[in-house]
Amino acid sequence: MFRVTNDARILFQAYRLIIAQLIDSNPPSPTATAPSASNTAIRLLISHNLMGTIIGRGGLKIKAIQDASGARMVAAKEMLPQSTERIVEVQGSADAIGTAIEQIGKCLLEDWEQ
């Protein structure tokens, strides 16, 4: 059975604080609409070999993460040039992004433990 360690919880909390600071330090432009004014995006570099862990069979895992967090996630289909990594962009409110990143971290930790 998978258990999140205290170190992982601290890391997830740090991500949440960073996301909140990014949103607070970038005030919305005067032309921004109210619903998207508090939204932002974070790009994560994920090893191509681990991308299947996040996406899941038929995209079920990434859909479950989106549903649980309220964030929108876009996984790049191609690796970055001269790299073995791909980008996952997580979009939404600070809380939604924090929850999505926590879920992604849990997926990666579960894969590592197996």
Side-chain angles (χ1 to χ4, degrees):
M1 175 103 176
F2 173 73
R3 214 177 105 232
V4 176
T5 65
N6 196 42
D7 290 342
R9 283 190 189 92
I10 292 169
L11 181 64
F12 299 147
Q13 289 173 348
Y15 266 109
R16 287 179 187 270
L17 290 172
I18 291 167
I19 294 161
Q21 286 297 318
L22 288 173
I23 290 174
D24 290 345
S25 68
N26 293 316
S29 68
T31 59
T33 59
S36 65
S38 64
N39 288 343
T40 193
I42 298 286
R43 291 183 183 149
L44 304 173
L45 288 177
I46 306 292
S47 170
H48 174 70
N49 296 333
L50 294 173
M51 203 58 134
T53 300
I54 295 167
I55 295 172
R57 190 174 302 267
L60 291 177
K61 190 65 167 179
I62 197 168
K63 173 118 176 62
I65 293 171
Q66 290 180 101
D67 291 346
S69 66
R72 182 171 184 268
M73 294 173 56
V74 179
K77 293 182 186 335
E78 300 294 324
M79 288 185 280
L80 294 170
Q82 300 177 355
S83 176
T84 59
E85 295 176 318
R86 291 167 52 188
I87 293 177
V88 173
E89 186 169 304
V90 184
Q91 306 165 351
S93 67
D95 284 341
I97 292 171
T99 301
I101 289 175
E102 184 174 344
Q103 294 298 314
I104 290 168
K106 287 178 182 178
C107 287
L108 296 174
L109 286 171
E110 286 174 5
D111 184 74
W112 181 72
E113 285 186 346
Q114 292 175 1

